[in-house]
Amino acid sequence: MSQIFGNVLDMTWQMAAMWAIGAVMIYLAIRKEMEPTLLLPMGFGCILCNLPHSGAVEVLETLFQAGVANELFPLLLFIGIGAMIDFGPLLADPKLLLFGAAAQFGIFFTLSMASLLGFELRDAASIAIIGAADGPTSIFVANTLKSQYTAAIIVAAYSYMALVPIVQPFCIRLVTTKKERMIRMDYTPGEISRTTRILFPIVVTVIAGLVAPDSVALVGFLMFGNLLRECGVLRALSEAAQNILANLISLLLGLTVAVRMQADSFLVPETLMILALGLVAFMFDTFGGVFFGKLINLFAKKKVNPMIGAAGISAFPMSSRVIAKMAKEEDPYNFILMQAAGANVAGQVASVIAGGLVLALVGPMI
């Protein structure tokens, strides 16, 4: 009995605050269905690791070193993501790759801002990758650069992925007119041969390896997952990667990351700054894609709906669905889902290449 009272007395307000953060994550996962496969285990793990003298901390720390610190979990998760992606809309309209590139603007803008605010270069670069709205890439970059704010970066990255339906519509309406949001786009799907679908992941891996060698692990695992999907002879492995592997790794990742959410190291002023800078990165990635679409419309005969540029971030497939829904709200007969999906998968590729470029630029300087 005395031990129980001792544990209660050892409680701090910081621990209670972390319980509240964990409860909010669980609420968003269950009631709002925002990234439940990650936010639910992360929220529960946050509470678990902030119990006084929690015996789970040592176990999860071992798991963190075995699966996160060496980038194993993020890379395995990329296989599952790659197996889920259909690159057909992108292959049918390759110019959508440009939207994926334009929507990475926020990464480099935020890197400069974070540096000006006093963060070390390794930390500033890791924070900036939050803008890609790609959790595995954020984990990979933060771990590779040995950022001291890995937990806050991961929480911010996945939180903003979950908040895509809230943040992106606000950003888009801020910089577009109703007339622009009502622009219709013709979609004429071309015949994409099986050979093209098989060669695409291989060619992208080779090009990424030559242009940005530090991104080849990320791109390679993503494209290997897609090759499992498209080869046609490994259907069981493809389905396992999409379902069992992706779900299992997400579960382990959420619980494991929570070990870095202990009150004494998480509740610091820098965490709030990281959350704010992550939001800036995410918003400016959205702005970058939209403004690129508006730029194209200055010269193109066939206008594009600039909203598809916002789908150039890496929150696949949520962002493309949000954009398609916004278009239908403005005009019930405006169907731009396929164009948005093409920009979205382009953003998935562009975000991992951007992560590799950040590593290549920052790595030699630290």
Side-chain angles (χ1 to χ4, degrees):
M1 185 67 68
S2 60
Q3 183 179 359
I4 295 175
F5 282 117
N7 288 339
V8 173
L9 291 174
D10 286 339
M11 274 289 300
T12 65
W13 70 266
Q14 291 94 337
M15 289 179 178
M18 294 306 296
W19 289 7
I21 292 173
V24 169
M25 289 183 177
I26 293 172
Y27 172 80
L28 292 175
I30 296 175
R31 293 301 298 270
K32 301 299 183 180
E33 298 186 12
M34 292 182 175
E35 293 291 328
T37 55
L38 194 81
L39 286 185
L40 184 62
M42 190 183 294
F44 185 82
C46 179
I47 296 174
L48 187 67
C49 291
N50 283 284
L51 291 167
H53 315 297
S54 174
V57 171
E58 185 176 345
V59 175
L60 291 178
E61 179 62 35
T62 301
L63 195 58
F64 184 93
Q65 296 300 325
V68 179
N70 60 6
E71 289 92 36
L72 176 64
F73 288 170
L75 292 177
L76 289 177
L77 187 55
F78 261 119
I79 295 178
I81 294 172
M84 297 176 193
I85 294 177
D86 178 8
F87 284 108
L90 177 61
L91 292 171
D93 192 1
K95 70 175 182 291
L96 293 174
L97 277 168
L98 298 174
F99 287 99
Q104 309 309 312
F105 167 75
I107 294 174
F108 301 97
F109 175 78
T110 306
L111 195 161
S112 302
M113 282 191 63
S115 297
L116 291 173
L117 288 173
F119 285 96
E120 291 185 22
L121 188 58
R122 70 174 75 240
D123 297 320
S126 302
I127 293 167
I129 294 296
I130 295 171
D134 187 342
T137 301
S138 297
I139 296 171
F140 186 88
V141 171
N143 278 329
T144 301
L145 296 179
K146 295 180 172 55
S147 171
Q148 60 182 312
Y149 303 114
T150 300
I153 290 167
I154 295 171
V155 171
Y158 279 104
S159 297
Y160 293 133
M161 283 175 64
L163 292 174
V164 163
I166 298 173
V167 178
Q168 281 212 300
F170 169 78
C171 293
I172 292 168
R173 291 192 177 98
L174 202 62
V175 294
T176 59
T177 64
K178 183 178 180 66
K179 182 179 179 181
E180 287 176 323
R181 297 193 295 272
M182 292 179 66
I183 293 175
R184 296 185 180 185
M185 298 177 66
D186 296 327
Y187 180 70
T188 52
E191 186 71 25
I192 309 299
S193 68
R194 183 185 174 199
T195 301
T196 300
R197 288 179 176 271
I198 291 173
L199 287 177
F200 180 76
I202 299 172
V203 171
V204 169
T205 301
V206 172
I207 293 175
L210 294 174
V211 175
D214 289 322
S215 73
V216 75
L218 293 169
V219 176
F221 276 67
L222 180 74
M223 291 301 159
F224 175 67
N226 187 250
L227 186 59
L228 288 178
R229 174 194 179 100
E230 301 296 353
C231 69
V233 296
L234 294 172
R235 189 176 303 278
L237 286 181
S238 174
E239 292 175 355
Q242 295 178 50
N243 298 295
I244 299 172
L245 179 65
N247 290 329
L248 178 61
I249 295 299
S250 295
L251 173 66
L252 292 174
L253 194 58
L255 282 171
T256 304
V257 165
V259 80
R260 287 292 187 267
M261 297 178 67
Q262 296 177 64
D264 56 347
S265 59
F266 191 83
L267 290 180
V268 294
E270 289 82 0
T271 298
L272 291 177
M273 293 178 65
I274 289 168
L275 291 173
L277 286 167
L279 181 59
V280 169
F282 184 51
M283 291 178 68
F284 273 79
D285 269 5
T286 300
F287 291 149
V290 172
F291 280 123
F292 182 72
K294 291 163 77 80
L295 178 64
I296 288 178
N297 284 344
L298 294 177
F299 308 98
K301 292 182 179 179
K302 286 189 175 182
K303 305 298 183 184
V304 301
N305 191 315
M307 290 198 299
I308 68 169
I313 64 169
S314 182
F316 176 84
M318 191 183 299
S319 183
S320 55
R321 291 173 181 167
V322 168
I323 302 308
K325 182 181 178 182
M326 287 185 67
K328 291 192 70 176
E329 287 174 352
E330 301 290 352
D331 175 2
Y333 300 99
N334 192 5
F335 303 101
I336 60 170
L337 176 61
M338 298 310 294
Q339 292 90 342
N344 209 178
V345 297
Q348 182 72 65
V349 177
S351 68
V352 294
I353 293 177
L357 288 173
V358 167
L359 290 175
L361 292 171
V362 174
M365 300 171 65
I366 60 176

